[in-house]
Amino acid sequence: MTSGAERAPGTDVLPVPGPDKALVGRLVEGRYEIVRPIARGGMATVYEAVDRRLDRDVAIKIMHASLAHDPDFVARFEREAKAAARINHPNVVSVTDTGVDGDLVFLVMELVRGRTLRELLRERGRLSPEQALEVLEPVLTALAAAQSAGLVHRDVKPENVLLGDDNVIKVADFGLARAVEASGLTTHAGLLLGTVAYLPPEQVTAGRSDGRGDVYAAGVVLFEMLTGAVPYEAETPIAVAYRHVHEDVPAPSSLAPEIPTELDDLVLQATAREQDDRFADAAAFLVAARRARRHLARQPSRSGDTQAIPLTEHLTQPLEVPGRPKRPKQPRNSTPRRRRRWPIVLVVLVMLSALAAGLGVWLALPSRVEVPALGNRSLATVEQALTAKHLPYRIGAPQNSDSVPQGAVLRLTPGSGSKVKEHTTITIVPSAGVLHITVPKVATLSEAEATQAITASGLPKPTVKQEYSDTVAAGTVISSDPSAGTSIDHRDTVTLVVSQGPAPVTIPNVVGLPKAQAEQTLTGVGLKPAESQAFSSSVPKGDVISADPNGGTGHRGDTVKLVISQGPQMVTVPDLHGKSGAQAAQALQQVGLVPSGHELFGSSNSVVAQSPSAGTSVKVGSTVTFYTD
């Protein structure tokens, strides 16, 4: 056995067959000479090696080729190995080096000679409560040291608990499971299938776990040490994982009735399905385990209990094996002698006394009752059922549920089916019914901003419906359905009404139309007329001379510029009397009139007559005739 051995339950112990022996004799990174393979697991093969630089024996874990060829895994593996190397604790297998040598990704650790907890359990079946706690304490000490350094193991199992020949218990492989999972390789080649028996529910459902996940796995290991079996068995790993999520770990005493209540309580709290119901971390679990161990040490032994053998003396000692040669019997004295009867009587009296004492202890032990299955029942029914079983209760904070109606009981803690001592307080968690969420105000937000606000509130991603709007800019939310402030089922979907901007329209031709008719035509299709005026000799006064744009396609709310005719431009004929012909012509031209001069009697001294007469209003460009004498 060595640090890093990863034999899942049911795998064979070395010798390791096949290609693993091909590396024997290779010098890794010019420093570590591989001596022999020790164990093979789902991620790697472990070898005994010699560090030629420091002249010492080490264990070197070489990742399987399927992992070594994945660059993401290699990068994460090195980061996790460096993090694990920061843990300096006597109950943690020390990591001394890591690297890549050609096609080999490796990790160098201290060599721990002895065996794994898995091998001990195969040999003994199960441990006594005292022995189980003796193994558990250093495991929790190691996990607590790692958690205080910010590192979570994520793969606590008997294969990673090493029982050294020097009677020191160590935990191996910190962070390596995280490196595999983070690379998306957890289902590759059966990786982690050997550890599914110890996975916390949140690691199954969400793929992530914190220190309380290590607490859960350590609780399962304690269950296995006490009973010789894991809590859940099924035909496939997926089925086992499903049971972790949907079933409470049973009390160890359900398989081995002689197990003390204190150890039942340890296992049940450590393996609670809800993370908040477990020990807060490995340190809290360790405190409770030490308290239970001190309590057991003060209790008298009970008939039928497994004999407590100090593990520090017997962890690595072989047990009696059937067929082993027995010590030769001493030759009897050939001299006949009379047998004495009093030793037999004494033995019988001692046995009867022990039986009576054991019976007395058994009778003094508190009886255990099973927590009834009372989910989805009324609170009154649950209270009555618990009272009938002599189980006091308290009402916990209501929690939402999609399946259990409001006011009914959602669950009990400890869970239904658990065996607890009489007078154990049960926590009743009522259902608050379906979670309802208030629709947030999203009008005037962009579509992306509104979607983020909806999902942040806990509602599903909204659907989008687009509408034209004359007042809301394109891409902006007009409204929501249901409207803001409405309380809805957290599973319901909100519809966002998003503006496409103004609707497109065809611009009508209004040139030549009277002003009023042109305006009515434009406003009727959602356009806005803007008017200016101009004189026109050809377009009657009040009619449209021109429009911009004139025809084509636009959008509702667009402006169309209209030029309205003022009719022809008029001017007043000036008074020309007394002016010379040249002066009269100049005066007419200055006001836009056309002069037409005529002489009377052959002279041209001054104007004596004009037509039209002075003061008459005429069109610009009209001809004015004047006469000079």
Side-chain angles (χ1 to χ4, degrees):
M1 184 276 300
T2 184
S3 57
E6 295 184 10
R7 291 186 295 279
T11 58
D12 293 331
V13 182
L14 290 173
V16 180
D20 292 327
K21 293 185 177 180
L23 294 178
V24 173
R26 177 165 173 173
L27 197 62
V28 178
E29 212 173 45
R31 177 175 178 178
Y32 305 105
E33 182 180 355
I34 296 178
V35 176
R36 64 185 181 92
I38 300 173
R40 180 182 177 88
M43 295 189 295
T45 299
V46 183
Y47 298 85
E48 181 180 344
V50 177
D51 182 349
R52 291 302 182 193
R53 185 178 303 171
L54 300 178
D55 191 23
R56 65 178 180 181
D57 294 334
V58 295
I60 183 167
K61 173 173 286 193
I62 297 179
M63 299 297 114
H64 295 330
S66 58
L67 295 173
H69 293 160
D70 184 278
D72 289 337
F73 168 77
V74 173
R76 293 180 184 275
F77 173 80
E78 289 187 329
R79 287 199 298 271
E80 293 296 331
K82 290 177 181 177
R86 294 198 301 267
I87 307 175
N88 183 16
H89 192 275
N91 295 119
V92 176
V93 174
S94 61
V95 176
T96 59
D97 195 9
T98 182
V100 179
D101 183 5
D103 58 344
L104 301 183
V105 178
F106 66 90
L107 179 72
V108 180
M109 303 165 288
E110 66 172 306
L111 182 65
V112 181
R113 298 191 184 279
R115 55 180 170 174
T116 66
L117 176 58
R118 171 63 61 207
E119 291 169 300
L120 180 66
L121 291 176
R122 286 201 189 103
E123 178 184 283
R124 296 193 179 183
R126 62 190 180 97
L127 307 181
S128 71
E130 293 80 1
Q131 291 170 337
L133 289 175
E134 189 174 347
V135 173
L136 181 67
E137 284 191 25
V139 171
L140 294 178
T141 302
L143 295 177
Q147 290 173 10
S148 66
L151 193 63
V152 178
H153 193 290
R154 295 171 67 89
D155 194 20
V156 178
K157 57 184 178 180
E159 288 79 2
N160 285 334
V161 178
L162 312 181
L163 314 176
D165 289 343
D166 56 359
N167 294 325
V168 177
I169 297 176
K170 294 177 179 281
V171 179
D173 282 359
F174 277 90
L176 300 190
R178 177 180 173 87
V180 175
E181 293 179 18
S183 298
L185 299 170
T186 54
T187 58
H188 179 71
L191 294 180
L192 296 185
L193 296 188
T195 66
V196 71
Y198 309 92
L199 289 182
E202 64 272 13
Q203 198 166 343
V204 176
T205 57
R208 59 179 180 272
S209 181
D210 56 17
R212 293 170 294 182
D214 285 353
V215 167
Y216 183 95
V220 176
V221 171
L222 176 58
F223 180 99
E224 186 175 5
M225 287 192 292
L226 293 169
T227 65
V230 291
Y232 306 125
E233 293 183 354
E235 294 182 357
T236 65
I238 296 300
V240 174
Y242 180 89
R243 296 188 67 182
H244 278 287
V245 175
H246 297 284
E247 297 180 22
D248 292 321
V249 171
S253 61
S254 64
L255 299 183
E258 72 277 7
I259 291 175
T261 300
E262 291 79 8
L263 293 185
D264 275 352
D265 294 341
L266 277 181
V267 171
L268 293 178
Q269 185 167 355
T271 60
R273 281 188 286 166
E274 295 293 331
Q275 289 176 285
D276 291 340
D277 293 337
R278 298 177 203 153
F279 296 108
D281 52 27
F285 192 1
L286 177 61
V287 170
R290 286 174 173 167
R291 186 185 303 117
R293 189 176 182 186
R294 289 194 300 269
H295 183 78
L296 290 182
R298 294 193 297 265
Q299 301 301 310
S301 61
R302 292 179 293 172
S303 299
D305 283 353
T306 304
Q307 184 180 2
I309 304 174
L311 277 174
T312 53
E313 298 179 6
H314 297 278
L315 276 175
T316 58
Q317 298 301 318
L319 299 181
E320 287 292 334
V321 179
R324 179 175 294 175
K326 297 182 180 179
R327 179 180 298 177
K329 296 182 179 179
Q330 296 294 330
R332 295 182 178 178
N333 189 338
S334 58
T335 304
R337 63 182 177 181
R338 186 176 181 180
R339 293 184 178 178
R340 297 179 178 178
R341 296 180 178 273
W342 66 265
I344 298 176
V345 175
L346 180 61
V347 169
V348 172
L349 290 175
V350 170
M351 292 178 62
L352 290 174
S353 298
L355 180 61
L359 180 60
V361 171
W362 181 80
L363 291 174
L365 291 174
S367 60
R368 303 183 70 82
V369 294
E370 182 175 322
V371 178
L374 296 171
N376 206 3
R377 303 286 184 88
S378 70
L379 185 59
T381 300
V382 173
E383 291 173 337
Q384 183 178 4
L386 293 177
T387 301
K389 284 184 171 283
H390 306 291
L391 294 173
Y393 57 86
R394 68 179 186 89
I395 309 299
Q399 295 183 9
N400 293 108
S401 171
D402 294 342
S403 57
V404 179
Q406 183 175 3
V409 172
L410 179 60
R411 68 172 183 273
L412 303 177
T413 303
S416 298
S418 301
K419 290 186 177 180
V420 300
K421 293 182 294 184
E422 279 190 347
H423 310 297
T424 296
T425 300
I426 306 298
T427 299
I428 301 174
V429 181
S431 171
V434 176
L435 173 65
H436 280 72
I437 296 175
T438 300
V439 179
K441 182 180 178 181
V442 293
T444 73
L445 299 180
S446 68
E447 180 181 334
E449 292 170 337
T451 298
Q452 183 178 6
I454 293 291
T455 54
S457 72
L459 293 169
K461 183 178 180 181
T463 59
V464 176
K465 173 185 177 183
Q466 294 187 324
E467 290 185 1
Y468 292 111
S469 173
D470 296 343
T471 58
V472 179
T476 301
V477 175
I478 302 171
S479 62
S480 64
D481 181 23
S483 59
T486 304
S487 179
I488 62 174
D489 188 314
H490 72 102
R491 298 164 294 183
D492 290 347
T493 301
V494 175
T495 298
L496 299 178
V497 181
V498 179
S499 172
Q500 290 180 281
V505 295
T506 299
I507 301 174
N509 183 0
V510 294
V511 173
L513 296 179
K515 171 186 172 182
Q517 184 179 352
E519 291 176 342
Q520 184 178 5
T521 300
L522 293 175
T523 56
V525 294
L527 298 171
K528 297 178 181 179
E531 301 168 0
S532 62
Q533 294 184 333
F535 294 107
S536 174
S537 299
S538 60
V539 178
K541 183 178 180 180
D543 289 355
V544 178
I545 300 173
S546 64
D548 181 24
N550 184 31
T553 302
H555 292 86
R556 287 180 57 86
D558 287 353
T559 298
V560 177
K561 297 179 181 179
L562 301 179
V563 178
I564 307 300
S565 174
Q566 291 179 289
Q569 185 178 3
M570 305 299 288
V571 66
T572 300
V573 178
D575 185 3
L576 304 177
H577 285 83
K579 298 181 182 295
S580 66
Q583 290 174 333
Q586 183 179 7
L588 292 172
Q589 289 172 346
Q590 286 178 343
V591 296
L593 297 175
V594 178
S596 176
H598 298 278
E599 296 179 357
L600 296 175
F601 311 113
S603 83
S604 59
N605 290 330
S606 60
V607 174
V608 295
Q610 67 181 69
S611 179
S613 60
T616 303
S617 178
V618 299
K619 296 178 181 179
V620 172
S622 297
T623 300
V624 175
T625 303
F626 60 89
Y627 300 91
T628 57
D629 60 3

